[in-house]
Amino acid sequence: MSPLLRHAGTVFANNQVPFSQASLLTDLYERGAPQRMSTLAQTFDVAPRTVTALVDGLERRGLVQRAPDPDDRRAVLVGVTDKGNALMQEIEWGRQALADELVNGLTRDERVEFARLLNKLRPAPKNEKGSQA
């Protein structure tokens, strides 16, 4: 297991966040905006009741909160709380420290080449229909 994944796993474990809930929290954090429960079910390709159970667990820990969707009163939005953002920031700081440690041993030219290679590995942007452009 990579040091980056080990760090994230340790932070989640120390906060008693199971892997399945950690994945959902990470997705919500990375999206940066509350999401409909139905969207989360589609994203994770699970039944809506599964998302409900995951959100229940995260909500009990104070990491996410539900709110009515102002655009559709039948829908519920789930967003990351301040406590959830703080937990994800802890993971981000650890990731940044590990990345800095890895890159510090490289020369300037090696860093430039490393950045070029990382950009090459990025997935191609998706077009409007969701396929690779």
Side-chain angles (χ1 to χ4, degrees):
M1 179 184 295
S2 78
L4 297 173
L5 290 176
R6 190 172 20 259
H7 168 71
T10 299
V11 171
F12 285 130
N14 289 344
N15 288 277
Q16 296 151 359
V17 179
F19 178 77
S20 55
Q21 292 176 11
S23 296
L24 182 63
L25 179 62
T26 301
D27 182 75
L28 285 167
Y29 176 78
E30 289 176 351
R31 288 174 185 256
Q35 299 295 308
R36 286 184 176 178
M37 298 275 283
S38 59
T39 300
L40 294 170
Q42 289 173 338
T43 298
F44 287 91
D45 194 25
V46 296
R49 68 180 174 275
T50 302
V51 170
T52 298
L54 295 172
V55 170
D56 287 347
L58 290 168
E59 195 171 41
R60 276 192 300 277
R61 288 175 179 80
L63 302 173
V64 300
Q65 64 186 7
R66 289 177 170 101
D69 185 336
D71 297 328
D72 181 350
R73 64 187 177 124
R74 298 166 297 163
V76 174
L77 295 174
V78 180
V80 181
T81 63
D82 289 343
K83 183 177 177 182
N85 280 316
L87 179 69
M88 294 306 300
Q89 278 296 312
E90 184 179 343
I91 290 169
E92 290 298 318
W93 291 327
R95 285 181 181 168
Q96 186 60 52
L98 288 168
D100 289 347
E101 186 179 313
L102 292 171
V103 174
N104 281 340
L106 301 177
T107 67
R108 182 191 175 289
D109 289 343
E110 289 170 333
R111 288 179 192 189
V112 169
E113 178 66 6
F114 183 61
R116 185 188 71 76
L117 292 170
L118 284 176
N119 281 329
K120 195 172 186 176
L121 293 173
R122 254 187 218 167
K126 293 185 177 183
N127 63 24
E128 290 179 17
K129 295 181 181 174
S131 60
Q132 299 292 330

